[in-house]
Amino acid sequence: MINYYIGIDIGGSHISIALVDSHTGKIKDDKVYRYPLAPGLSAYQILSFWQSCIEKVIHEVGEENVLGIRVAIPGPFDYARGISKIEGVKKYESLFGVNVKQSIRQIFPDINKPVIFMNDAAAYALGESSAGALKDSNRSIFISLGTGLGSAFLIDGKHVISGDGIPQKGYFYYYPVKDGIADDYFSTRWFESEWRKRNTTPINGVKELAGKARSNDPDALGVFREFSIELADFMSIWFRSFQPDSMAIGGNISKAYDIFLPDFLQRIKENGCGNIDIRIAELGERAPLVGAAMSVKMQNNTNMETTKRKTTQYLMPGKAPEKPANGKYNIYPGFPIGEGKIKEGSEELAAWMIRHKIVMVDGYVGVFWDDFVADIDAEIKKAGKKALWLHTDAAMHEAPLLEKMIEPYLGNGDPLFGYITDKKLIDWFDKNKMDKIKPDEEYDINILVGCGASLFGWSAPLIYVDIPKNEIQYRMRAGYAANLGMKETKENKQTYKQFYFVDWRVLNEHKKDILPHIDLIVDGQHPENYTFMQGDDLRTGLSSMAHNYFRVRPWFEPGVWGGTWMREHFEGINKDVDNLAWSFELMVLENGILFESGGSLLEVSFDFIMYNNNKEVLGDCAGKFAYDFPIRFDFLDTFDGGNLSIQCHPSNEYIKQKFGMPFTQDETYYVMDCKKEAVVYLGFQEGVDPDEFHTALIRSHEKSVDAGIERYVQKHTANKHDLYLIPNGTIHASGKDILVLEISSAPYIFTFKMYDWLRLDLDGKPRPINIEHGMNNLRFDRQGEKVKEELISKPYIIQEDETFQLEHLPTHKEHFYDVHRYRFDDEIRIDNDNKCHVWMLVEGTSVKLRTSRGMESSFNYAETFVVPAATESYTLINTGKEKAVMVKAFVK
């Protein structure tokens, strides 16, 4: 049985298709199926015509004998995803933003068989390299001259898109030529325009103009002569940078080579590039068909199955697992919103969408949009409907322009820190391109999908696909989540930096603006089984949380200093890990909140509740903090691990000036548990000399020698339930063998590591050290006895009786939050007094919360939960046998 690849070449006026033998690389029966395409067609008409042509060819050998399809198509085009970005070509303008790949998948649905797109010039080049003009070339350029300017670079017969002397992606159509770009000048439309400047006689394309030139028409010869000189000057730039041994010219304009080639050769010789062997393509229309088809085979042979998330922790289940026993930590704390609110599955979601002629699907960076499209489109097809999928990112500015726009916010080369952007999501988009993305009435349903869909102003229902920040980072580490508007992932730290300072800020602001208008919210964590609910139910659920309680979903990370306490005490996490360093208990930018309905779970990012109900949540400090939740709880686990780095945090003025943050990272360490000889590093030794300390740090960093840190920094014996105060500018670190509950203001990445014990990070690379940032912020007056007096909290009793005790654990005068500790046997009643309370049970088994509105929920040892200001009053009931000990943090 012979198997085939299908090669497709889409030109400005036709579609050509060939069946290529998967073993020999030869076109079956040397037959090319060529179908002319009429002008002025709608997206529906073009795509339906293409589908019909492809189906006819597939039918020739049977779908079971077709191993894959590759389509050669001119740019601009998103080849990785199959989305058209073609502009200025009237025949295809109706396809701008359209997912062409999904249209082909509607007739070739087997996802195990690839449908791949490539630049037509690249396909042409590969064909010529395998059996045509470039078959004996080691280093070559191919250009296609026709509807536009195509280009491809080859080294040893392989298509290359980066390297010395190669433009981004191997395309130079957008490089400047005179007052336009190369694509404007080296194309059919330039010939027609230039002819009209010289002669009023109408012509029909380059072929007719070439006929006039061969008849010695002076105007026609003048057009070709100008074209030759401009093309030679432009290509000489790339000849010098790439140093090819040859170049082949293809495309319809190449058929007039006898007219323009002599002048071209003379000009490149004058430019010092006469050593380049210039050839005319030999295979004609067969070249891109063979090149496209055989490149599917090459890609199949190199494909490897990869996971789309990189983490040691489990993906959150779509169904709520059985709740742990009383007293056992629960990692999936769902907030109940009543039966029947959360739906699940692509079939149900598609059924909702089918009820509408037009739908907008907006969402967050990191969503697997291609999976979403494929899953939902399959269900729409099962329902007997036909969908047109259009993508917002086709209307975004090109990556180089976006990179230039956001460069001021990325820290000028700093590996960790940038500056909070003031850009808006609309700044990522080209308004003219946005206007070109339009629904097609001939389709049963038109779906606009991607970040910023609601900005396009369609009168349509709005779906929002959300994804929590931890999952975004897992996808980023696996190479499957890139920055906003970027097609490729960068090094992880750089991608995260742009997420933190740019992307998340822009997308969160957009989310806030559209929250009242969301008709359906979708949890994007499970492409194989989406969960979703009505926008009204989302907003109602958020309001219910804001008047009762909430607990975010914690998540866990290993670290070079990480320990074993959480691994041994918390159920439901993956324990097959070397260590766990952090548990993000209430880290508002990165945690999500869970809703539960009928056993189904749906997670949205924490910021939703702040955008919907910030005043109810924060109460008297809402005016100060607006949509920023001010307090952070997280665990640092160094049991059987190592010391944290010696570090400090920036002053309020410094963090505002350097990083654009509204307030700084003032921390405390509450000791949840510790071993006998555990210590906390805090404050300077009496009489420390700043210059000497600075020199010791520099020397240690540059020469990899011990800094002798204990000569400069105090150590304090850690005791369970101690509270250490770490206002900004304080030198500090947790030692090993401690479980620290960090009670802090909300910022969390602004840690200036100054000494890291000469160790490498988990990736085997040195951790970034921020000595100069640290020296600019250190408070050297926090030394000697002053440290014990001012930086170790001294609890005192406010109120007590036989069953109850309330202690004040005073924080530093620079902390804007305070801490109370309660010890009780039975129950206590608390009034909010228009304040938001953040709680943790730090000793005991479990407590039950009963709010003034009658809602109840149980919380176990080491779980963080929030009682918003709008709760007004509530009761905490000890459901364990021993005394309950709880800490409460609140804004002063």
Side-chain angles (χ1 to χ4, degrees):
M1 181 66 68
I2 300 175
N3 292 320
Y4 298 92
Y5 295 109
I6 289 182
I8 301 174
D9 177 33
I10 292 176
S13 58
H14 69 281
I15 175 173
S16 297
I17 309 174
L19 289 159
V20 179
D21 189 304
S22 63
H23 296 291
T24 66
K26 294 182 178 179
I27 294 176
K28 183 179 184 295
D29 300 329
D30 198 33
K31 184 176 182 180
V32 174
Y33 301 82
R34 198 175 197 279
Y35 304 97
L37 183 68
L41 300 181
S42 66
Y44 180 87
Q45 291 167 330
I46 294 172
L47 294 174
S48 295
F49 175 70
W50 287 353
Q51 288 175 332
S52 174
C53 296
I54 297 168
E55 280 184 309
K56 289 176 184 176
V57 176
I58 291 175
H59 184 70
E60 289 288 319
V61 294
E63 186 176 334
E64 67 278 8
N65 296 316
V66 177
L67 301 180
I69 295 174
R70 190 145 202 170
V71 183
I73 189 168
F77 200 90
D78 184 340
Y79 293 101
R81 302 176 63 205
I83 299 166
S84 174
K85 301 172 77 173
I86 297 173
E87 297 181 271
V89 181
K90 289 185 178 181
K91 272 190 178 175
Y92 295 145
E93 280 189 333
S94 62
L95 295 183
F96 187 81
V98 168
N99 191 326
V100 179
K101 178 178 181 177
Q102 197 56 41
S103 177
I104 294 176
R105 276 290 182 212
Q106 289 169 355
I107 61 163
F108 189 66
D110 188 344
I111 60 172
N112 295 310
K113 296 180 177 182
V115 173
I116 305 169
F117 291 77
M118 70 185 307
N119 179 266
D120 58 338
Y124 215 137
L126 288 172
E128 291 292 339
S129 177
S130 64
L134 297 175
K135 62 185 176 184
D136 58 352
S137 177
N138 296 320
R139 192 175 181 90
S140 57
I141 299 175
F142 177 86
I143 63 171
S144 176
L145 302 170
T147 305
L149 173 63
S151 60
F153 290 71
L154 300 176
I155 297 177
D156 295 329
K158 294 181 180 179
H159 180 218
V160 290
I161 60 173
S162 62
D164 293 341
I166 302 173
Q168 189 174 38
K169 299 286 190 182
Y171 310 146
F172 43 48
Y173 69 87
Y174 57 87
Y175 275 72
V177 173
K178 289 189 173 180
D179 56 351
I181 61 173
D183 203 62
D184 297 329
Y185 278 83
F186 310 127
S187 61
T188 300
R189 60 185 180 278
W190 179 86
F191 277 94
E192 293 173 342
S193 172
E194 192 63 25
W195 170 258
R196 287 194 295 271
K197 293 177 184 177
R198 300 168 185 252
N199 198 302
T200 58
T201 306
I203 61 161
N204 184 22
V206 176
K207 183 178 181 180
E208 185 176 341
L209 186 63
K212 290 181 177 293
R214 292 186 183 105
S215 299
N216 293 316
D217 183 293
D219 290 334
L221 288 169
V223 171
F224 273 101
R225 188 171 299 111
E226 182 173 346
F227 171 80
S228 302
I229 300 302
E230 291 294 341
L231 181 62
D233 288 347
F234 181 76
M235 289 310 304
S236 293
I237 298 170
W238 301 104
F239 292 159
R240 296 187 194 104
S241 63
F242 183 63
Q243 294 290 311
D245 53 53
S246 59
M247 181 182 81
I249 305 173
N252 283 331
I253 296 174
S254 71
K255 296 174 183 177
Y257 74 90
D258 56 308
I259 306 168
F260 70 79
L261 192 58
D263 288 332
F264 178 87
L265 293 173
Q266 178 61 35
R267 185 67 168 191
I268 65 170
K269 184 178 181 181
E270 294 170 2
N271 292 340
C273 302
N275 61 314
I276 311 297
D277 186 6
I278 307 300
R279 309 169 183 180
I280 301 302
E282 298 174 1
L283 300 184
E285 66 179 2
R286 284 165 169 72
L289 297 171
V290 173
M294 294 314 292
S295 67
V296 184
K297 180 177 182 178
M298 292 191 321
Q299 183 151 331
N300 277 353
N301 291 340
T302 57
N303 270 350
M304 294 181 65
E305 193 67 31
T306 58
T307 178
K308 291 186 176 182
R309 59 195 303 271
K310 185 177 181 181
T311 176
T312 58
Q313 294 307 307
Y314 303 127
L315 179 65
M316 188 201 79
K319 289 288 189 181
E322 184 178 346
K323 288 188 177 180
N326 192 41
K328 298 296 184 181
Y329 186 91
N330 181 11
I331 64 173
Y332 302 119
F335 184 86
I337 56 172
E339 296 294 315
K341 301 294 186 183
I342 297 175
K343 310 292 184 184
E344 59 181 90
S346 299
E347 184 178 0
E348 283 255 23
L349 182 53
W352 188 93
M353 296 170 72
I354 285 170
R355 298 201 296 267
H356 308 278
K357 182 73 174 177
I358 302 174
V359 176
M360 297 180 295
V361 186
D362 208 322
Y364 218 75
V365 68
V367 172
F368 291 153
W369 291 114
D370 294 343
D371 290 343
F372 181 90
V373 169
D375 293 341
I376 302 303
D377 194 58
E379 297 300 332
I380 291 174
K381 183 181 177 184
K382 288 178 187 176
K385 303 291 184 180
K386 199 168 187 178
L388 179 67
W389 293 89
L390 302 114
H391 289 256
T392 61
D393 50 8
M396 285 187 176
H397 295 297
E398 293 296 326
L401 192 152
L402 293 176
E403 288 170 349
K404 184 176 180 180
M405 179 183 77
I406 64 175
E407 185 179 1
Y409 307 99
L410 296 182
N412 194 28
D414 191 300
L416 295 177
F417 304 116
Y419 193 90
I420 300 297
T421 187
D422 58 355
K423 294 296 181 183
K424 305 294 184 185
L425 183 55
I426 192 65
D427 296 325
W428 265 250
F429 289 92
D430 181 321
K431 182 64 169 61
N432 292 328
K433 291 181 179 179
M434 293 174 74
D435 292 341
K436 293 176 181 177
I437 297 181
K438 300 174 182 178
D440 187 326
E441 288 296 319
E442 294 174 90
Y443 279 91
D444 298 311
I445 177 172
N446 292 263
I447 306 168
L448 176 63
V449 63
C451 297
S454 56
L455 296 174
F456 285 65
W458 289 14
S459 180
L462 175 61
I463 296 173
Y464 192 89
V465 184
D466 199 36
I467 186 165
K469 309 296 192 305
N470 63 310
E471 194 62 31
I472 294 173
Q473 291 176 68
Y474 300 155
R475 295 177 178 190
M476 170 197 77
R477 293 169 193 169
Y480 281 90
N483 289 119
L484 181 63
M486 306 299 170
K487 297 296 185 291
E488 296 180 349
T489 56
K490 307 172 188 173
E491 186 271 333
N492 285 342
K493 284 186 174 68
Q494 295 305 305
T495 300
Y496 179 85
K497 181 172 67 171
Q498 186 173 324
F499 278 155
Y500 186 93
F501 288 97
V502 180
D503 300 355
W504 292 351
R505 309 294 169 168
V506 166
L507 291 168
N508 284 356
E509 184 73 18
H510 175 65
K511 186 191 298 182
K512 175 173 68 70
D513 292 343
I514 67 173
L515 174 56
H517 311 292
I518 293 173
D519 295 293
L520 211 66
I521 182 76
V522 178
D523 184 341
Q525 293 182 81
H526 293 273
E528 75 286 352
N529 191 39
Y530 298 103
T531 54
F532 61 96
M533 66 179 176
Q534 299 286 338
D536 287 341
D537 290 332
L538 167 68
R539 291 180 284 270
T540 299
L542 294 170
S543 293
S544 182
M545 282 184 175
H547 288 84
N548 289 281
Y549 67 88
F550 59 85
R551 180 176 171 230
V552 304
R553 177 168 78 91
W555 62 284
F556 307 86
E557 282 280 84
V560 67
W561 44 261
T564 60
W565 194 97
M566 292 187 291
R567 188 180 68 187
E568 293 174 1
H569 288 79
F570 291 167
E571 298 298 325
I573 60 176
N574 180 10
K575 302 198 176 203
D576 187 21
V577 292
D578 291 335
N579 71 66
L580 290 174
W582 294 274
S583 172
F584 303 124
E585 294 290 310
L586 182 63
M587 191 134 73
V588 295
L589 187 61
E590 299 205 17
N591 284 112
I593 46 181
L594 290 180
F595 293 101
E596 182 176 352
S597 174
S600 295
L601 295 175
L602 183 146
E603 184 171 11
V604 297
S605 51
F606 177 86
D607 38 62
F608 267 112
I609 193 170
M610 296 304 295
Y611 295 145
N612 202 62
N613 301 97
N614 70 311
K615 294 178 180 178
E616 293 88 345
V617 171
L618 296 182
D620 64 2
C621 66
K624 178 179 180 180
F625 294 105
Y627 301 106
D628 293 318
F629 192 86
I631 293 174
R632 164 169 59 88
F633 274 31
D634 62 89
F635 286 131
L636 308 175
D637 180 359
T638 66
F639 261 68
D640 305 311
N643 300 328
L644 269 68
S645 61
I646 299 296
Q647 57 191 250
C648 77
H649 305 298
S651 69
N652 270 299
E653 296 74 20
Y654 198 87
I655 203 170
K656 289 175 184 177
Q657 178 187 356
K658 295 291 186 180
F659 311 121
M661 291 292 291
F663 54 94
T664 195
Q665 189 167 328
D666 288 312
E667 295 181 341
T668 67
Y669 283 175
Y670 187 94
V671 180
M672 286 282 289
D673 200 358
C674 61
K675 291 188 179 183
K676 189 173 182 179
E677 297 181 358
V679 298
V680 170
Y681 294 84
L682 183 69
F684 284 110
Q685 301 285 6
E686 183 70 41
V688 71
D689 180 84
D691 291 335
E692 181 185 339
F693 181 61
H694 188 197
T695 300
L697 294 175
I698 295 291
R699 179 174 177 272
S700 172
H701 181 56
E702 291 181 349
K703 298 184 179 298
S704 296
V705 295
D706 191 306
I709 209 69
E710 293 177 18
R711 293 175 51 205
Y712 306 99
V713 180
Q714 294 188 36
K715 289 195 306 183
H716 305 270
T717 300
N719 297 292
K720 193 173 182 179
H721 298 304
D722 282 353
L723 182 67
Y724 295 90
L725 310 180
I726 312 170
N728 63 82
T730 303
I731 196 79
H732 69 282
S734 170
K736 65 178 183 177
D737 295 329
I738 305 178
L739 180 70
V740 167
L741 166 61
E742 266 196 318
I743 302 174
S744 172
S745 53
Y748 57 95
I749 72 165
F750 299 94
T751 297
F752 300 146
K753 301 179 185 72
M754 306 181 72
Y755 178 67
D756 200 34
W757 313 99
L758 308 179
R759 63 191 167 195
L760 300 177
D761 209 344
L762 294 179
D763 60 5
K765 300 176 182 178
R767 302 173 83 201
I769 297 296
N770 318 111
I771 295 173
E772 300 311 317
H773 275 312
M775 291 300 298
N776 289 334
N777 286 275
L778 280 175
R779 291 287 301 271
F780 283 93
D781 60 324
R782 293 173 184 158
Q783 59 175 266
E785 287 300 311
K786 188 176 183 181
V787 174
K788 293 180 181 178
E789 293 170 5
E790 296 187 3
L791 301 183
I792 301 177
S793 184
K794 298 172 178 59
Y796 63 87
I797 297 172
I798 298 175
Q799 183 182 353
E800 70 175 333
D801 59 26
E802 299 84 19
T803 62
F804 157 81
Q805 183 186 83
L806 167 59
E807 295 175 279
H808 182 203
L809 281 61
T811 56
H812 194 271
K813 61 183 179 181
E814 293 197 25
H815 287 103
F816 63 69
Y817 56 90
D818 217 340
V819 178
H820 286 173
R821 182 164 58 205
Y822 293 76
R823 304 174 188 267
F824 58 99
D825 294 321
D826 301 317
E827 63 180 58
I828 53 175
R829 184 184 179 280
I830 307 288
D831 291 319
N832 286 87
D833 296 326
N834 203 27
K835 287 191 177 294
C836 178
H837 296 161
V838 183
W839 286 96
M840 180 180 286
L841 180 65
V842 296
E843 193 170 296
T845 305
S846 63
V847 295
K848 179 183 289 185
L849 167 72
R850 181 183 297 135
T851 73
S852 60
R853 288 170 171 76
M855 284 200 77
E856 293 186 354
S857 184
S858 291
F859 299 99
N860 301 310
Y861 172 63
E863 294 181 352
T864 301
F865 64 97
V866 178
V867 182
T871 307
E872 296 180 349
S873 65
Y874 54 97
T875 301
L876 291 169
I877 304 160
N878 183 5
T879 54
K881 295 180 180 178
E882 66 272 46
K883 188 181 293 288
V885 181
M886 302 188 71
V887 293
K888 178 185 75 177
F890 56 95
V891 175
K892 293 177 181 177

